[in-house]
Amino acid sequence: MPGLHRLRAYRRDWLRGDVLAGATVAAYLIPQCMAYGELAGVGPVAGLWAILPPMLIYAVLGSSPQLSVGPESTTAVMTAAAIAPLLASSPQSYPTLAALLALLVGLVCIAGSLLRLGFLANLLSKPILIGYMAGVALIMIGGQLGKISGVAIQSDNVFGQFGEFFSQLDQIHRPTFLLSLLVLAFLFGIQRRWRTAPGPLLAVLLATTAVALLDLERQGLAVVGEIPAGLPHLALPLASLSELPSLLGAAVGIAVVGYSDNVLTARAFATRNGYEINANQELLALGAANLGTGLMQGFPVSSSGSRTVIGDSLGSKSQLFSLVAFGVVIVVLLFLRPLLALFPKAALGAIVIYAATKLIEIPELKRLRRFRQSEFLLAIATLFGVLLTDILVGVAIAVGLSVIDLFARITRPHDAVLGTVPDVPGLHDIDDWPGAVTIPGLVIYRYDAPLCFANAEDFKQRALGAIAAERVPVEWFVLNTEAIAEIDITAADMLSEFCDELASRHITFALARVKQDLYAQLRRSGLLEKIGADRIYLTLHTAIAGFEGRKSR
């Protein structure tokens, strides 16, 4: 329990920053989580219920002293996408299915923690995450168009939603749309001027005041309405066995995306503030948080980057800031329910759209395009994969594209023939330096990836091509293994065939810069005996010395 350990070692000088951060984060999250409850389809008050267990549980189990865990936009929209198709055939209510989905997400995360699967978050590379989050953002915006305009939108896909919206501009409910635009303008303006101000809370309070003073509810502007008294109670959500496979598949997708967001945000703040996090502990903490919110009629949760940023900017040093925020939310639920009931749904929809715009990272897309075209295209492919398919299928597409991108790099990595450069010490890639030449009769070849089944044939063909490119007959071929930490059995068999091929051409095969793990694999595969232990060199210079002394041996 790293969070509990940190709280037990609490320093008094942290108190002011944690209390200020907790109160401010609470002011920010109350309207935000109500909006995310609406986005998830369970209602605004469920968004507040869903924040309570995670704040307590993560404060004890989490390895990050600053991360804010609870409802957030991505898991909310994924919840809606997972449950909506089941409603027609399910006797269960929407909130019950959402709570059950949270339980399953929790179990998936805890199982992943027990199996030490924290590294799986790395399957979602940055280009994939950028494209995925941009797609989710557009889906979020499309889902709120009806709420901010009063237009009845029936489509359940983003292209249809935008199409219906623009085709019914003449049917827009003007008070609703005007209020939404004013809230959006206020949010962007206050964020630009005062980054740490609780913009969503101020926006909703002003919108609520406008509803009350101008009697906008009578003019057709929708409000949250009556909120159940008291706090959520402990309940085990149940469903028929026929629904579990669909929910479990959705839970795996939500767990992957939610955990990736969780651990990446935690790592970013750990690097910035000089502490460490534990990836598997984060998986456990997120799983426990989802179990807690599932038992309290919530929906799947993850971390909130925006709330974490606010806490960090105000000096949060421990999870006491989450406990302070927890207390503020309890007070609001117990004593300020009449005020929450007057919150206009148009304002909550505007908050969702405001949050969605933060997920579309245009500068990052531009940076990807400048850095490498293939990574930019990966991001765009993921974006359209999310928009053109079910959002949970988009998760699989994102992971699949990440793996394909990884294999593409492994199957055809960079390689180099090394030679000498006038007036430059050492050995260098002859393609990178004008005037670079190889040592006559010797090819020193570097392959910049581990050798495995995926690139064994590529290595063989390119190595033979390097030999064929030499003008002077080659007598020795030295493989520089500095980038080859290990080989698999397919690569071992290929190297054996390659050695035989060189021997048939009367070319000596040698290895340089061999690591201990690779040396052990060469011995176990029988390659060491075939190559000869005297042809294994610790450095390139000793390999060159061996080549130059070949005639005296």
Side-chain angles (χ1 to χ4, degrees):
M1 297 184 180
L4 182 60
H5 176 74
R6 189 176 289 107
L7 290 172
R8 291 178 64 183
Y10 194 81
R11 290 168 44 182
R12 187 173 297 179
D13 58 313
W14 293 350
L15 184 61
R16 183 181 181 278
D18 281 340
V19 171
L20 182 60
T24 306
V25 166
Y28 185 88
L29 69 82
I30 288 170
Q32 186 188 55
C33 291
M34 291 178 71
Y36 292 161
E38 189 83 2
L39 177 63
V42 293
V45 71
L48 293 182
W49 289 349
I51 193 67
L52 298 176
M55 285 196 291
L56 289 180
I57 292 170
Y58 188 84
V60 174
L61 294 180
S63 67
S64 169
Q66 295 185 289
L67 199 64
S68 178
V69 173
E72 58 89 34
S73 55
T74 312
T75 52
V77 74
M78 292 178 75
T79 297
I83 295 176
L86 299 178
L87 289 179
S89 59
S90 173
Q92 303 299 327
S93 66
Y94 196 110
T96 299
L97 291 174
L100 179 58
L101 183 59
L103 280 181
L104 292 175
V105 170
L107 292 174
V108 169
C109 289
I110 290 173
S113 175
L114 295 175
L115 295 172
R116 315 293 293 175
L117 298 180
F119 69 92
L120 289 178
N122 298 327
L123 287 178
L124 293 177
S125 63
K126 185 159 189 177
I128 299 300
L129 282 172
I130 290 172
Y132 177 79
M133 298 307 288
V136 168
L138 291 175
I139 291 173
M140 289 169 61
I141 293 171
Q144 301 305 306
L145 291 176
K147 293 173 185 174
I148 67 166
S149 65
V151 173
I153 294 179
Q154 305 299 325
S155 178
D156 58 359
N157 70 79
V158 66
F159 297 107
Q161 289 163 347
F162 276 95
E164 286 188 41
F165 174 76
F166 286 111
S167 66
Q168 301 180 65
L169 290 177
D170 57 328
Q171 299 180 31
I172 283 179
H173 185 252
R174 292 184 179 179
T176 299
F177 193 53
L178 180 59
L179 182 69
S180 302
L181 293 179
L182 289 173
V183 169
L184 277 172
F186 178 83
L187 287 170
F188 281 110
I190 200 168
Q191 190 269 340
R192 189 169 185 175
R193 183 68 178 85
W194 297 285
R195 296 182 64 85
T196 60
L201 179 66
L202 296 175
V204 170
L205 289 178
L206 290 172
T208 302
T209 302
V211 170
L213 293 178
L214 302 176
D215 202 16
L216 295 178
E217 190 176 356
R218 286 194 175 184
Q219 298 182 37
L221 195 141
V223 297
V224 168
E226 184 178 355
I227 290 177
L231 299 174
H233 60 277
L234 189 67
L236 182 64
L238 299 174
S240 65
L241 293 177
S242 61
E243 294 160 348
L244 287 179
S246 296
L247 286 175
L248 185 58
V252 171
I254 293 173
V256 170
V257 173
Y259 173 65
S260 297
D261 189 27
N262 196 85
V263 76
L264 289 172
T265 304
R267 281 176 180 168
F269 283 89
T271 301
R272 177 187 301 180
N273 295 310
Y275 56 84
E276 294 183 358
I277 65 152
N278 183 309
N280 282 299
Q281 184 69 27
E282 286 300 299
L283 200 50
L284 174 64
L286 183 62
N290 274 284
L291 284 181
T293 195
L295 293 172
M296 290 290 183
Q297 300 108 66
F299 55 94
V301 299
S302 181
S303 64
S304 167
S306 59
R307 298 196 297 267
T308 306
V309 167
I310 290 172
D312 177 65
S313 65
L314 291 168
S316 65
K317 299 295 182 184
S318 77
Q319 283 296 325
L320 179 65
F321 92 95
S322 291
L323 300 181
V324 171
F326 174 87
V328 173
V329 174
I330 291 291
V331 170
V332 169
L333 281 171
L334 291 178
F335 303 109
L336 298 179
R337 288 184 297 105
L339 177 62
L340 298 181
L342 292 175
F343 278 13
K345 289 190 175 184
L348 297 180
I351 291 173
V352 170
I353 292 176
Y354 169 74
T357 62
K358 304 300 179 184
L359 301 180
I360 303 175
E361 301 182 86
I362 300 297
E364 286 297 302
L365 286 169
K366 291 180 178 178
R367 189 165 76 95
L368 286 178
R369 189 171 186 179
R370 290 195 305 269
F371 179 73
R372 182 180 287 129
Q373 187 74 9
S374 63
E375 299 209 41
F376 171 74
L377 292 176
L378 273 175
I380 298 300
T382 305
L383 166 63
F384 281 98
V386 170
L387 294 179
L388 294 173
T389 66
D390 179 85
I391 192 169
L392 296 169
V393 175
V395 177
I397 291 173
V399 174
L401 288 174
S402 291
V403 173
I404 290 171
D405 182 46
L406 174 64
F407 268 94
R409 297 177 192 277
I410 292 176
T411 54
R412 192 168 177 81
H414 179 268
D415 69 339
V417 174
L418 304 182
T420 59
V421 181
D423 301 322
V424 179
L427 296 168
H428 306 277
D429 185 346
I430 61 173
D431 290 335
D432 292 343
W433 293 82
V437 294
T438 58
I439 299 171
L442 172 64
V443 170
I444 302 176
Y445 180 73
R446 190 184 71 213
Y447 195 72
D448 294 333
L451 283 177
C452 62
F453 69 94
N455 58 23
E457 188 60 29
D458 176 72
F459 166 85
K460 183 178 179 181
Q461 297 304 320
R462 290 165 78 178
L464 291 174
I467 293 172
E470 289 294 300
R471 296 180 180 179
V472 176
V474 175
E475 299 179 47
W476 273 43
F477 181 93
V478 176
L479 175 60
N480 176 5
T481 65
E482 63 181 294
I484 304 175
E486 61 179 9
I487 58 175
D488 63 9
I489 194 64
T490 304
D493 290 345
M494 178 277 298
L495 286 175
S496 179
E497 295 171 5
F498 183 66
C499 189
D500 292 339
E501 173 77 15
L502 295 185
S504 69
R505 301 186 185 190
H506 306 291
I507 298 173
T508 298
F509 183 39
L511 304 178
R513 305 191 69 175
V514 177
K515 298 176 177 64
Q516 288 295 328
D517 289 345
L518 178 59
Y519 189 88
Q521 289 178 325
L522 293 173
R523 186 175 63 250
R524 289 196 298 269
S525 67
L527 271 171
L528 185 62
E529 183 179 353
K530 173 175 279 193
I531 297 170
D534 59 336
R535 293 289 181 256
I536 307 296
Y537 297 96
L538 295 178
T539 67
L540 294 176
H541 292 294
T542 54
I544 293 171
F547 167 72
E548 291 174 344
R550 66 195 182 283
K551 293 181 180 178
S552 62
R553 298 184 59 172

